[in-house]
Amino acid sequence: MNRTELIAAVAEKTGVEKKIVDKTVRALLAEVTERVANKEKVQLAGFGTFEARARAARTGRNPHTGKEVKIAAVTAPAFKAGKTFKATVAEKK
């Protein structure tokens, strides 16, 4: 499912115009992105938690040459699924 399909599905379920749902989805994603970029956690009860996680610098290997390469430290976005989300996915096997 892509963003357009998500917007259409939410509009259908809620009876709200697609334009309004589109604005809402864009605002939600922008706010989550901004908060995580500022190293804040965004917790949506039952769904999950978005956060920034720091990864330390490390040494890796180039698979083609076998030479060691240095991989820089980085802060990356992460998502941890909530209990309800996990249970729903597990039920739908």
Side-chain angles (χ1 to χ4, degrees):
M1 172 180 272
N2 61 31
R3 185 189 311 227
T4 304
E5 293 166 340
L6 174 64
I7 290 166
V10 171
E12 187 177 316
K13 281 187 178 183
T14 62
V16 177
E17 290 180 37
K18 284 184 185 180
K19 278 172 108 174
I20 295 170
V21 174
D22 181 42
K23 275 184 160 180
T24 305
V25 168
R26 287 178 189 276
L28 171 72
L29 296 176
E31 191 64 26
V32 169
T33 302
E34 184 178 327
R35 297 293 176 142
V36 172
N38 289 328
K39 296 186 176 61
E40 296 178 47
K41 276 188 182 180
V42 177
Q43 294 177 303
L44 303 173
F47 184 72
T49 303
F50 297 90
E51 64 183 332
R53 291 189 188 151
R55 282 196 228 145
R58 62 192 192 280
T59 303
R61 235 174 241 293
N62 180 329
H64 293 290
T65 64
K67 288 185 178 181
E68 286 188 353
V69 292
K70 291 185 179 187
I71 302 171
V74 67
T75 300
F79 175 74
K80 182 178 178 190
K83 191 175 183 179
T84 306
F85 185 32
K86 285 181 187 178
T88 303
V89 171
E91 287 175 11
K92 299 283 182 169
K93 281 186 177 178

